[in-house]
Structure formats: C-alpha cells, structure tokens
Amino acid sequence: MPVDDMDRAVRFYGETLGLSVTSRSEVWSEIDAGGLMIGLNAREGTARHADGGAVVSFQPDGGIDEEVDRLTSAGVEFTGGISDHDWGRIAPFKDSEGNDLQFYAPPA
C-alpha cells in the first residue's frame, strides 16, 4: 500500500486498526493482518491519490457494527456506511493515506 507519511500509516494500521507491526523503516513497513502481510511502501515524491484499484477487506472477529463504532470513535470516516447485500455486509473506509479498505461479513 503506498503511503505519504510512514509514521502516520504505521500508527493507523498498528494502533487504530490494532494490527501487528512486524517490520518498520522510513521506506517500507510490514503489517500482519491475521496472516496476510500488508506492505506499506513510501511514495517517491508523489502524492497522487486516485479512487479505484485494490481494496483490502478485513473480516473482523466481532461484528461489523462494533468495529465501525470503535473506529468511528477513533476518528475513522466510513465512506458509505454499512451496506447489506445477498453476498454479505460491507463497510468501506480509507486508511490514513487515502487507500481503500473495507470490513466484510459473510451472509448469516
């Protein structure tokens, strides 16, 4: 995931999302998201943000509602609220660097 500010991004993934930071430097950091390794890559002089592209989906241990409440109180903005679909529920949000993330829960 491209990042503009490594310190801010590591705080977001480590402290706000509660994931494990396994490696940290100014140009590359690694986050363990329950066995999925997320690489944070410092942008090289660009701050180009574009919608679209890859989306990292997390399936929270608890319910989506609880995680949305927890992150909202930590200052995270959810871009579309929680939506229900035949294939499950999602709650899209952005990380501290503008990358697309979402919570996902399969249908009951």
Side-chain angles (χ1 to χ4, degrees):
M1 303 292 283
V3 304
D4 294 320
D5 184 319
M6 188 63 73
D7 291 332
R8 179 178 61 205
V10 167
R11 274 193 314 274
F12 179 83
Y13 283 90
E15 295 174 17
T16 305
L17 293 184
L19 302 174
S20 298
V21 178
T22 59
S23 175
R24 165 90 175 77
S25 79
E26 290 303 311
V27 296
W28 179 261
S29 297
E30 294 178 359
I31 309 296
D32 183 351
L36 169 68
M37 196 60 61
I38 298 173
L40 303 179
N41 187 26
R43 296 182 206 261
E44 295 180 9
T46 66
R48 197 171 146 224
H49 299 273
D51 289 330
V55 176
V56 177
S57 295
F58 298 97
Q59 190 170 343
D61 291 333
I64 284 182
D65 299 289
E66 292 83 6
E67 281 300 300
V68 168
D69 289 344
R70 182 181 76 80
L71 292 185
T72 299
S73 66
V76 175
E77 292 184 35
F78 284 81
T79 54
I82 300 171
S83 58
D84 295 295
H85 308 273
D86 291 340
W87 43 264
R89 302 178 80 205
I90 60 168
F93 61 104
K94 294 198 180 275
D95 72 4
S96 60
E97 308 306 298
N99 296 303
D100 291 315
L101 307 174
Q102 70 182 9
F103 286 131
Y104 166 77

